[in-house]
Amino acid sequence: MTMDIRCHENIQISALVLGGNLTSICSMYINGGRNVAYRQNATQSSNFSLHNLASAAVDGNTDTNFDGNSCSHTKTEASPTWNVSLQSNYVISRLAIFNRGDSNSQRLDGFLVRTFDKDNNVIGFYKNRTMSSQRIYYINLNGSVNLPVNLLSISLEGTDRILTLCEVEAYGECPASFWSLPCSQQCPTSCPYDCDRDTGECNSICIEHSNPPHCDAACRIGEWGINCGNNCSSRCAEVSCDVKTGQCDQGCQGYSDPPYCETECMTRIYGTNCTSNCSSACLYGECDPRTGHCYNCFPGFHGYFCERKIFNVELISFGMGYAACSGLTIVVILALALSRTIVCQCNARSRLEPVQHHTDLQQDICHDTDQREITEYDDAISEPKYCNYTRSNVPEINIHEYETIT
């Protein structure tokens, strides 16, 4: 049985202890990472002898003595090449190349390393330019080192060259989305790009979910992105967006060109994808592009969409109060504790200009003669408006009874 044990990155290991019911160990090999080239399918452009096949450079034996028959060796030829095909596509950024340690170590001078993807495109490379031969070369590849590697190639340039490699170690990890020793298992859909390379469990990044590493809480409506950490744009209709991209998936609110929602509605247009017209009662036909609420109303109207007519009510209090509305209906109101005249300016025919109107509250704000605010409560258009003071230090109008006189 062969076991591959990977320690966590960036942690220095000073001792390794094996326990349990072990009776024997055939070999133990410790290196600087997962050697994905170990015992993989290796080939070379020619074979010097049956003792020096390409597979000798990935047998796990780092003996640099050529006579130990653990080094690959080509014949003398032009541009000799050694290749190893990987079991799976790994991300490789570092190599360790063991040169022969006896005579003729200079034969490896000027070697070239290239890595290829599954479509045979070069994605990583290294050119040896050292002035003297070394027993071990530790290499950091250049190029697109974060892409999965399918094939690793080492070659020499020129004629009458001999390529000898005593061991090649390629330190790699599973590419994003994969885990297990051969990197053949896909990460869960809740963390498709960031799972533990040994167990497959989610790490710190959840997609369409939150609560890492479990990633078991789906994003709520209005949330999207890594760990559901972003809010959908207010430009999105229903404040709803794609949980992965954040693009508006129910259309735009106050904007057009979904799912991007970058173009604001033109004047007099509002709503989902700018498909509705502002109310004709809106002053100048202008309204909020998201809600359709009028910015201002034509005289005589009020409400979110200026759909409500405005009436004038005048209450004159001297123990017994009278109210008149449009000259058609008279309502008798018994008012207590009143000593001032109250004017609700609620009619376009009034000679007085209507006071401030709060459309967001759907209420008319009126004033008494002392400029204290009062708010109407009765919304019936055909009846007079009864007003109460909104400030606690002003006496209220207490309506005990009323009757309509025609």
Side-chain angles (χ1 to χ4, degrees):
M1 180 179 67
T2 300
M3 295 182 63
D4 181 85
I5 302 175
R6 181 174 64 88
C7 299
H8 291 287
E9 299 175 2
N10 301 323
I11 298 178
Q12 184 176 356
I13 304 298
S14 59
L16 177 63
V17 178
L18 298 179
N21 298 322
L22 293 175
T23 57
S24 63
I25 297 177
C26 296
S27 65
M28 178 181 294
Y29 184 64
I30 301 175
N31 59 27
R34 178 187 290 186
N35 179 17
V36 298
Y38 177 63
R39 290 190 175 180
Q40 298 298 295
N41 182 31
T43 60
Q44 58 188 7
S45 53
S46 63
N47 294 318
F48 177 74
S49 73
L50 295 179
H51 299 290
N52 307 110
L53 301 178
S55 58
V58 288
D59 61 359
N61 188 345
T62 59
D63 183 7
T64 59
N65 185 357
F66 182 76
D67 293 333
N69 293 326
S70 183
C71 300
S72 67
H73 193 296
T74 67
K75 295 179 180 179
T76 302
E77 60 182 332
S79 303
T81 303
W82 178 92
N83 297 326
V84 60
S85 298
L86 304 180
Q87 179 181 1
S88 298
N89 293 329
Y90 296 95
V91 176
I92 299 174
S93 60
R94 296 185 303 117
L95 299 175
I97 298 178
F98 292 78
N99 191 10
R100 61 185 297 173
D102 50 12
S103 60
N104 299 319
S105 61
Q106 76 283 353
R107 290 178 177 175
L108 195 57
D109 292 351
F111 66 89
L112 177 66
V113 179
R114 291 178 296 176
T115 57
F116 298 83
D117 63 13
K118 60 183 180 62
D119 297 320
N120 206 35
N121 298 312
V122 176
I123 57 177
F125 58 91
Y126 173 83
K127 173 71 173 179
N128 171 249
R129 303 182 187 279
T130 56
M131 300 301 295
S132 59
S133 301
Q134 301 178 26
R135 191 175 71 89
I136 304 175
Y137 294 89
Y138 293 102
I139 298 170
N140 291 317
L141 293 175
N142 301 309
S144 303
V145 296
N146 292 323
L147 297 179
V149 174
N150 182 254
L151 181 98
L152 170 65
S153 177
I154 301 175
S155 61
L156 296 173
E157 297 176 321
T159 59
D160 299 328
R161 301 295 302 270
I162 298 175
L163 178 59
T164 300
L165 300 169
C166 290
E167 191 68 19
V168 176
E169 295 179 347
Y171 303 127
E173 294 294 349
C174 297
S177 303
F178 291 90
W179 67 279
S180 75
L181 182 59
C183 298
S184 59
Q185 301 293 321
Q186 284 193 305
C187 296
T189 55
S190 55
C191 55
Y193 309 112
D194 183 46
C195 69
D196 188 277
R197 289 165 290 190
D198 295 324
T199 66
E201 295 180 351
C202 296
N203 290 323
S204 59
I205 296 178
C206 305
I207 302 297
E208 300 184 35
H209 295 76
S210 60
N211 191 33
H214 307 291
C215 298
D216 53 3
C219 293
R220 295 173 296 182
I221 295 177
E223 298 177 340
W224 72 279
I226 296 175
N227 301 331
C228 307
N230 299 320
N231 294 322
C232 297
S233 170
S234 59
R235 298 180 179 183
C236 296
E238 308 297 333
V239 197
S240 174
C241 65
D242 186 276
V243 292
K244 290 183 179 179
T245 65
Q247 294 180 347
C248 301
D249 55 6
Q250 299 295 325
C252 310
Q253 192 68 25
Y255 289 79
S256 59
D257 66 274
Y260 308 104
C261 303
E262 296 176 346
T263 304
E264 190 172 9
C265 294
M266 299 177 63
T267 304
R268 301 182 179 87
I269 303 295
Y270 80 97
T272 303
N273 300 331
C274 304
T275 55
S276 301
N277 295 319
C278 297
S279 170
S280 58
C282 294
L283 188 63
Y284 306 121
E286 296 179 347
C287 66
D288 186 284
R290 289 186 175 88
T291 64
H293 295 171
C294 299
Y295 291 131
N296 294 288
C297 301
F298 278 108
F301 294 88
H302 72 131
Y304 284 139
F305 304 97
C306 300
E307 77 283 8
R308 299 167 59 194
K309 292 184 179 180
I310 301 176
F311 290 83
N312 183 64
V313 177
E314 184 176 12
L315 301 179
I316 303 176
S317 172
F318 43 86
M320 178 71 70
Y322 296 90
C325 180
S326 302
L328 299 178
T329 304
I330 300 176
V331 178
V332 179
I333 303 175
L334 295 178
L336 302 179
L338 295 179
S339 60
R340 59 178 58 83
T341 298
I342 303 170
V343 178
C344 290
Q345 300 169 8
C346 304
N347 194 318
R349 292 181 297 175
S350 172
R351 290 174 298 174
L352 301 175
E353 290 292 328
V355 297
Q356 182 182 6
H357 172 58
H358 290 199
T359 57
D360 58 332
L361 299 176
Q362 286 283 27
Q363 294 175 336
D364 293 320
I365 304 300
C366 305
H367 292 77
D368 65 357
T369 54
D370 291 339
Q371 298 300 309
R372 293 186 177 90
E373 286 189 353
I374 54 178
T375 305
E376 65 172 330
Y377 282 77
D378 188 352
D379 289 335
I381 295 178
S382 61
E383 297 182 4
K385 309 297 182 180
Y386 303 130
C387 304
N388 281 346
Y389 289 95
T390 57
R391 299 186 181 180
S392 59
N393 61 342
V394 180
E396 295 184 352
I397 302 174
N398 297 311
I399 302 174
H400 288 266
E401 60 178 334
Y402 65 90
E403 60 178 335
T404 302
I405 303 175
T406 58

